Amino acid sequence: MLPKAYSPSDTEDRIYQLWEETGAFHADAKSKKEPFTISMPPPNATGQLHLGHAVMLALEDIFIRHARMQGKEALWVPGTDHAAIATENVVIRLLKEQGMKDPRKELGREKLIEKIAEFVEQSRGTIRGQVRKMGSSCDWERERYTLEPALNRVVNEVFARMYKDGLIYRGHRIVNWDPKLQTTISDDEIAWKEETAPFYTFQYGPFQIGTSRPETKFGDKYVVMHPDDERYAKYKNGDTFEAEWINGLVRATVIKDTAVDPAFGTGVMTITPWHDTADFEIAERHGLEREQIIDFQGKLLPVAGEFAGMPIEKARPLVVEKLKEKGLLVKTDENYLHNKATSSRGGGTVEPQIKLQWFIDVKKEVVTWKGKIMSLKQIMHEVVHSGDITILPDRFAKQYFHWIDNLRDWCISRQIWWGHRVPVWYKADETYVGITPPEGAGWQQDTDTLDTWFSSAMWTWSTLLDPKLAVDHSVTLEELLKRSPDFQKFHPTTVMETGYDILPFWVARMILMTTYAVGQIPFETVYLHGLIRTRDGRKMSKSDPDSMIDPLDMIAKYGTDALRLSMIVGQSPGADSRLYEEKIGGYRNFVNKLWNASRFILLQCESAEIDPHDIELFDQEGLTVADQALLSALQDLVTDVTAGLAEYRLSEVGERLYSFVWDYFCDWYLELSKGEANYAVLLHALRTLLKLLHPYCPFVTEEIWTHVKPEHAKLLIQEEWPLADEAFKNKDAFDQLQVVIDIITAIRKLRTDHQVPLDSHPEVVLVVQGKQDSLVDQVEQIVRMARIGALKIGSKPPQGEVASAFLSGIEVHMLLEGLVDKDKEKANLLKEQESLVAYAQVLRGKLENKQFIERAPHQLVSAEREKLAETEEKLKKIGERLGSL
RNA sequence: GGGCGCCUAGCUCAGCUGGUUAGAGCGACUCGCUUACACCGAGUAGGUCAGGGGUUCGAAUCCCUUGGCGCCCACCA
């Protein structure tokens, strides 16, 4: 027999192993079934499972398990990410901790990469194990890695093609330079932090200019103002003048540009094109000279004269001091609030620099999509706009369009070593771009690597390529796609499930890259989940360990099923949600409830000497009202759950299942079955519930299944999804059962209202109007559940001390043998009378309203009439009873 | 500056295209170890649905407006 409480820790690993060994996760590319594919967003190969992964895995596992049970060929491709900057940083830090001063210099490129690869290899097992812990039913035989050779081939090839198409170019552009990490980072990797800094106004020739960064001003020789600013109307574009400046006289030129806000400061500024994005753009427009002031270590260059070699933070006050001595400082505003760019990768201050970088041109119209020539930007817009790709919830489509509108060329080169190296080779003035190094001696490969999102952008399809074929360079990409059965069968993928925070980083770029490279959309639906926050709504962050909930701790304590439910139910898509232990505990209780309900059914079978495995079907003859009502309700449940899952309404479906199991199945049906059980119906209902619940809580359901399944049935994970059978729908049975439930509830209420001791069993008389034949069948159960002595169905209320309750069509009278407290009964009746009078008034008001009668739907009007009649009937009875007291 | 959300019981949240006296879970309170489950059962209390205005026979739901909170994008020297 099953133990009293369900123990996840004794069950989960065993069940997972069982699934894996039976090949339940494996998808077949040759199958004729309709494909259903998910590409798992790859966690960092060196990472630790956190709640973000946990929600992602839970959601995707629900989609996949449901699809699989529905008879689709369900493939979930797992994988890990090499996480370029993040991983390189970790390893460098570790090496430093081991006593190395500058690992890059000491080891050199090849050796450091080896070290990192070694580290990744060692630590990758951790995340794999943790993904399994969540119950993820992904196809491990197809596990992929973003830095594997097959992916490298595709990355190189797509790079080369884009280069040939003129979509990838190399240019001097202003980039976000992180002096601490010594690399470029993308716009999306910048974290803006608000800070207060002094804002200085200096005299610069005839103008006053404002700046918060005087240390960059050494090379400034342009003053810029708005063309319509009347204060400066007498200066013309191109006028020159001399100005005394930090290190002596400079010759400056006037530039008129609309980028200047006349209302800010004095409406005049000098520009530093090498170290400021906006300034760079002004310089581009007017063809101005630009000069580097700060080097890549964050120190001033010789142009700074006496300040050369100084770190910028140190130079700032000294420069101000010098200008002040020269009498050029007009004023200082100490409370200037501005946003400072910091690197989200390493936390250092980002210093814009001009560097030779590789870019993807998103505006060039050279790509063919659906017979039209478009830019990458236009395609990205088109596929979502046309509905080829659906974004859920749809408000994120707006955000996506907004992001595309603001999209600039994408800088894809990074000055780190861990990643896909830029497939470009140089020899003197020659440049070669290709999949493999060029023939001949003297070629040097570009030292940069590619942005990690460049390779992740190909994730949905590169992971479906035949890995052996992919490294054969004589096979063209078109051939490769054609000859990869997985790609042919499973791409485009069905749904991409990920956090809304990487909609621009990743989702948009997958769309860009996949439409370009393989001419298909990467996925049909994008389902975005929200962030999981702490109970008081804060972000969980590593810097605040108390705020963190470790999913593995929660699994150890409450079980995977409970954790999964607590993250899915009550979470609406795209919205942040809060998680705390009590919530998980609540779902642990639910899992246990399900366990015990099953245990009870098995106990029933045991005492009746029935082996559940022998029972396949139930007999449709001789079903009680309760059985019929249950079967009917079950059909509705199947319909609702199936429809809800098809529309990705996971939270709603979860709640529906929760309340069905607990409130209906356990609290009513199982209670009623204590009088007289129909084992076959019990088993049928339980099996159906297990199937419906399996995607949400796979472990308990599979474990229970082994005890209750029909003898020849497969594992639950491989079972067929239930179909609703109209034949079992029986509204009458349901209504009749409701009457029984109402009677029991009324009797219980009378007992507590009059404080009838539990050990006394009063007699109850029901006065029934109309036909209530079905009641007779249920009498025994009513007697037992309501703990009454005898139940009679009569035509008149009994004489004597009686407490009464009035249902629609039925009066319940309880003989109290002197136990009744008249004052108490009177008080209760008065209270009920009050609420009924109020209700009747509301109804009457409605029905007296002509417009309501004319315009509201007819069914609604007649329903309201019926309700009023019932209410008035009840009031009449109460009045009579009150009169007799 | 541009955009997108949110404000419903003490707490966390459902309430879809307007239609019963607004729901759930947790918490609180009162009973209860009744042939699965105290990780339980039966009950009770608790809300002018952020404020104001409008449309409508009818608004938590649609429109306008005020206030508070949050997020995304852009970034101004």
Side-chain angles (χ1 to χ4, degrees):
Chain A
M1 187 37 56
L2 302 180
K4 238 177 161 184
Y6 170 63
S7 165
S9 53
D10 294 337
T11 312
E12 294 178 355
D13 291 349
R14 189 184 76 235
I15 293 279
Y16 195 88
Q17 210 185 333
L18 185 65
W19 288 329
E20 232 182 319
E21 281 166 3
T22 28
F25 303 158
H26 189 65
D28 181 5
K30 290 195 211 83
S31 143
K32 293 261 158 54
K33 296 176 182 174
E34 183 190 343
F36 185 100
T37 321
I38 297 181
S39 257
M40 183 190 294
N44 289 359
T46 60
Q48 284 283 326
L49 188 83
H50 55 68
L51 279 176
H53 299 128
V55 205
M56 177 269 280
L57 294 170
L59 286 164
E60 291 177 18
D61 198 41
I62 291 175
F63 298 154
I64 281 286
R65 282 178 193 267
H66 177 230
R68 186 157 42 223
M69 291 176 82
Q70 281 194 312
K72 293 178 187 167
E73 197 59 38
L75 170 62
W76 188 11
V77 185
T80 50
D81 188 55
H82 68 284
I85 299 184
T87 309
E88 185 164 320
N89 285 346
V90 171
V91 174
I92 286 180
R93 204 185 60 229
L94 283 173
L95 291 170
K96 280 184 179 166
E97 278 167 17
Q98 287 166 18
M100 217 176 269
K101 279 219 176 70
D102 187 346
R104 284 175 152 246
K105 271 203 187 123
E106 284 171 52
L107 290 172
R109 186 164 191 140
E110 306 303 319
K111 283 260 170 62
L112 182 63
I113 290 178
E114 257 172 51
K115 284 267 178 203
I116 301 173
E118 233 171 74
F119 173 76
V120 169
E121 217 31 68
Q122 277 169 23
S123 48
R124 175 194 275 150
T126 310
I127 191 79
R128 280 190 190 131
Q130 292 170 340
V131 169
R132 283 180 163 84
K133 270 278 174 196
M134 282 299 300
S136 321
S137 62
C138 47
D139 191 346
W140 290 106
E141 289 172 42
R142 286 184 167 94
E143 187 191 347
R144 305 301 283 258
Y145 176 47
T146 55
L147 205 53
E148 66 181 44
L151 281 256
N152 187 250
R153 179 254 158 99
V154 187
V155 163
N156 289 351
E157 180 151 357
V158 173
F159 186 101
R161 285 186 177 219
M162 291 183 116
Y163 181 79
K164 221 196 272 159
D165 285 344
L167 288 170
I168 283 185
Y169 66 91
R170 196 181 193 210
H172 284 279
R173 281 298 145 89
I174 195 139
V175 295
N176 310 302
W177 179 255
D178 183 337
K180 204 169 149 193
L181 301 179
Q182 288 290 300
T183 181
T184 308
I185 60 170
S186 73
D187 290 348
D188 305 299
E189 286 164 324
I190 291 181
W192 293 91
K193 282 187 188 150
E194 212 170 58
E195 100 180 340
T196 310
F199 185 74
Y200 308 97
T201 305
F202 298 111
Q203 193 68 40
Y204 186 80
F207 301 102
Q208 291 187 350
I209 55 127
T211 184
S212 61
R213 304 206 51 192
E215 74 279 8
T216 65
K217 296 286 160 197
F218 293 99
D220 289 11
K221 48 189 173 187
Y222 300 101
V223 285
V224 191
M225 61 213 72
H226 197 280
D228 302 334
D229 194 333
E230 295 191 358
R231 288 172 292 178
Y232 308 110
K234 66 172 172 167
Y235 299 97
K236 300 281 170 278
N237 191 53
D239 286 357
T240 61
F241 60 92
E242 285 209 325
E244 179 59 27
W245 198 226
I246 314 170
N247 290 330
L249 271 182
V250 291
R251 177 131 214 108
T253 308
V254 172
I255 301 294
K256 301 270 181 170
D257 195 285
T258 52
V260 178
D261 175 7
F264 186 88
T266 57
V268 185
M269 66 177 187
T270 62
I271 57 167
T272 314
W274 201 285
H275 300 293
D276 186 287
T277 319
D279 293 2
F280 178 85
E281 281 167 9
I282 293 172
E284 283 274 277
R285 275 198 286 277
H286 300 271
L288 309 180
E289 287 173 37
R290 33 205 193 203
E291 186 176 10
Q292 188 173 9
I293 314 295
I294 302 164
D295 72 8
F296 294 111
Q297 273 68 44
K299 290 183 180 145
L300 288 164
L301 287 163
V303 64
E306 62 188 276
F307 302 100
M310 223 180 252
I312 46 172
E313 306 81 40
K314 209 167 158 190
R316 185 177 303 174
L318 300 175
V319 171
V320 174
E321 191 52 35
K322 185 164 181 192
L323 284 164
K324 194 176 169 189
E325 275 169 25
K326 285 187 162 194
L328 295 174
L329 177 63
V330 181
K331 62 176 178 187
T332 309
D333 175 1
E334 294 288 345
N335 299 316
Y336 174 64
L337 194 67
H338 74 141
N339 284 325
K340 186 170 141 187
T342 62
S343 163
S344 64
R345 293 292 181 183
T349 304
V350 171
E351 197 63 65
Q353 289 275 12
I354 295 178
K355 280 201 72 116
L356 192 53
Q357 298 287 335
W358 290 98
F359 292 88
I360 289 183
D361 188 329
V362 294
K363 295 192 190 84
K364 194 167 184 175
E365 301 183 14
V366 293
V367 189
T368 310
W369 179 256
K370 291 194 174 172
K372 273 192 226 157
I373 305 289
M374 296 193 198
S375 69
L376 294 172
K377 210 167 164 163
Q378 286 164 337
I379 299 175
M380 288 165 87
H381 195 281
E382 169 62 20
V383 291
V384 175
H385 192 73
S386 65
D388 290 343
I389 296 176
T390 308
I391 298 182
L392 294 175
D394 61 359
R395 75 186 130 92
F396 283 102
K398 287 182 207 162
Q399 203 178 31
Y400 171 82
F401 289 133
H402 193 239
W403 182 80
I404 292 177
D405 292 342
N406 288 314
L407 188 63
R408 294 186 293 180
D409 286 358
W410 170 19
C411 176
I412 51 170
S413 44
R414 294 296 121 97
Q415 289 66 52
I416 57 169
W417 292 343
W418 181 241
H420 292 283
R421 193 161 172 178
V422 172
V424 179
W425 287 261
Y426 310 102
K427 185 160 105 180
D429 290 341
E430 288 178 80
T431 301
Y432 173 85
V433 180
I435 311 176
T436 46
E439 304 281 315
W443 289 96
Q444 291 286 328
Q445 189 171 5
D446 196 300
T447 54
D448 286 355
T449 52
L450 291 165
D451 181 6
T452 188
W453 301 109
F454 186 90
S455 45
S456 329
M458 305 177 196
W459 189 242
T460 60
W461 55 274
S462 59
T463 51
L464 295 173
L465 299 176
D466 183 326
K468 286 199 195 92
L469 213 54
V471 289
D472 180 350
H473 298 299
S474 65
V475 180
T476 65
L477 182 59
E478 283 70 22
E479 273 293 296
L480 182 56
L481 294 173
K482 232 180 248 162
R483 288 168 57 189
S484 296
D486 281 1
F487 177 80
Q488 291 300 323
K489 174 80 184 173
F490 295 108
H491 203 270
T493 62
T494 313
V495 52
M496 169 51 60
E497 196 293 319
T498 186
Y500 66 74
D501 50 330
I502 53 173
L503 175 66
F505 290 96
W506 194 39
V507 176
R509 281 166 188 167
M510 279 191 283
I511 294 175
L512 178 156
M513 202 64 95
T514 308
T515 51
Y516 170 78
V518 302
Q520 293 183 4
I521 49 170
F523 30 69
E524 286 154 12
T525 300
V526 178
Y527 180 99
L528 298 165
H529 65 252
L531 232 64
I532 298 220
R533 294 171 176 275
T534 61
R535 175 199 286 279
D536 44 356
R538 285 176 301 134
K539 261 188 188 172
M540 294 192 188
S541 75
K542 282 183 200 151
S543 56
D544 178 9
D546 290 348
S547 72
M548 298 286 284
I549 291 183
D550 183 344
L552 297 164
D553 288 351
M554 296 302 111
I555 288 173
K557 222 166 153 182
Y558 302 102
T560 301
D561 293 326
L563 177 66
R564 287 168 61 126
L565 285 164
S566 70
M567 293 186 305
I568 304 301
V569 183
Q571 150 92 300
S572 38
D576 292 356
S577 66
R578 303 175 188 208
L579 188 68
Y580 39 89
E581 262 195 80
E582 294 94 306
K583 211 181 209 171
I584 307 170
Y587 288 101
R588 185 267 321 264
N589 296 353
F590 170 73
V591 166
N592 193 241
K593 185 79 182 173
L594 181 68
W595 177 262
N596 272 296
S598 312
R599 192 168 96 98
F600 174 68
I601 292 170
L602 288 172
L603 284 169
Q604 298 260 50
C605 289
E606 198 179 68
S607 63
E609 294 182 352
I610 288 170
D611 180 355
H613 300 303
D614 293 342
I615 295 179
E616 297 268 354
L617 299 165
F618 56 87
D619 190 351
Q620 298 195 28
E621 300 297 311
L623 296 173
T624 64
V625 170
D627 294 334
Q628 290 172 38
L630 173 77
L631 291 168
S632 174
L634 209 50
Q635 304 318 309
D636 288 340
L637 183 73
V638 170
T639 307
D640 291 355
V641 168
T642 309
L645 285 178
E647 289 165 37
Y648 299 100
R649 297 198 315 264
L650 300 200
S651 173
E652 217 176 292
V653 168
E655 263 178 78
R656 179 89 167 79
L657 286 166
Y658 180 102
S659 98
F660 190 95
V661 167
W662 204 309
D663 303 335
Y664 190 82
F665 189 62
C666 292
D667 289 349
W668 281 108
Y669 186 73
L670 285 189
E671 284 304 320
L672 288 170
S673 81
K674 282 177 183 173
E676 179 195 3
N678 184 329
Y679 309 96
V681 173
L682 276 174
L683 282 168
H684 168 78
L686 178 61
R687 287 168 184 163
T688 307
L689 288 174
L690 290 176
K691 287 178 189 173
L692 296 177
L693 280 163
H694 182 254
Y696 285 80
C697 35
F699 289 112
V700 238
T701 50
E702 186 74 79
E703 175 69 356
I704 296 170
W705 181 253
T706 58
H707 295 98
V708 302
K709 69 182 182 105
E711 193 169 358
H712 299 294
K714 295 171 276 194
L715 288 175
L716 184 55
I717 189 176
Q718 295 165 321
E719 268 295 316
E720 274 167 37
W721 191 253
L723 285 173
D725 187 343
E726 288 293 325
F728 289 113
K729 288 207 175 160
N730 187 340
K731 177 119 193 337
D732 292 343
F734 200 78
D735 291 346
Q736 285 166 5
L737 183 69
Q738 192 57 49
V739 172
V740 172
I741 290 172
D742 287 347
I743 292 170
I744 295 173
T745 309
I747 294 171
R748 279 180 177 159
K749 189 166 164 15
L750 289 175
R751 289 188 74 106
T752 42
D753 278 357
H754 299 283
Q755 303 192 322
V756 176
L758 265 178
D759 49 7
S760 68
H761 301 287
E763 193 179 308
V764 171
V765 177
L766 300 182
V767 177
V768 181
Q769 293 146 16
K771 279 192 184 169
Q772 294 287 354
D773 295 343
S774 67
L775 276 183
V776 181
D777 298 338
Q778 310 300 321
V779 162
E780 215 178 291
Q781 278 140 7
I782 296 175
V783 170
R784 200 190 47 74
M785 285 186 69
R787 302 217 269 146
I788 51 183
L791 183 67
K792 287 183 186 162
I793 298 185
S795 55
K796 271 186 223 157
Q799 298 297 307
E801 300 294 300
V802 169
S804 310
F806 308 101
L807 312 172
S808 47
I810 298 177
E811 295 168 26
V812 182
H813 304 282
M814 183 183 284
L815 286 161
L816 293 169
E817 302 160 359
L819 278 167
V820 68
D821 178 340
K822 280 196 180 176
D823 292 338
K824 196 154 186 182
E825 188 182 357
K826 204 169 170 184
N828 284 332
L829 286 172
L830 283 171
K831 205 170 155 194
E832 195 172 352
Q833 191 181 38
E834 195 188 341
S835 83
L836 287 176
V837 165
Y839 184 35
Q841 205 123 36
V842 170
L843 292 172
R844 245 177 256 127
K846 259 190 171 174
L847 291 166
E848 280 161 17
N849 185 331
K850 268 190 190 164
Q851 263 126 337
F852 173 69
I853 306 291
E854 282 163 18
R855 303 199 192 175
H858 291 298
Q859 294 131 319
L860 186 69
V861 177
S862 53
E864 300 288 88
R865 282 217 177 90
E866 256 170 57
K867 270 180 244 157
L868 182 60
E870 269 173 27
T871 310
E872 279 170 344
E873 182 65 18
K874 280 184 196 171
L875 277 168
K876 200 177 125 204
K877 300 270 177 183
I878 288 173
E880 282 169 13
R881 178 67 189 156
L882 278 171
S884 75
L885 278 168

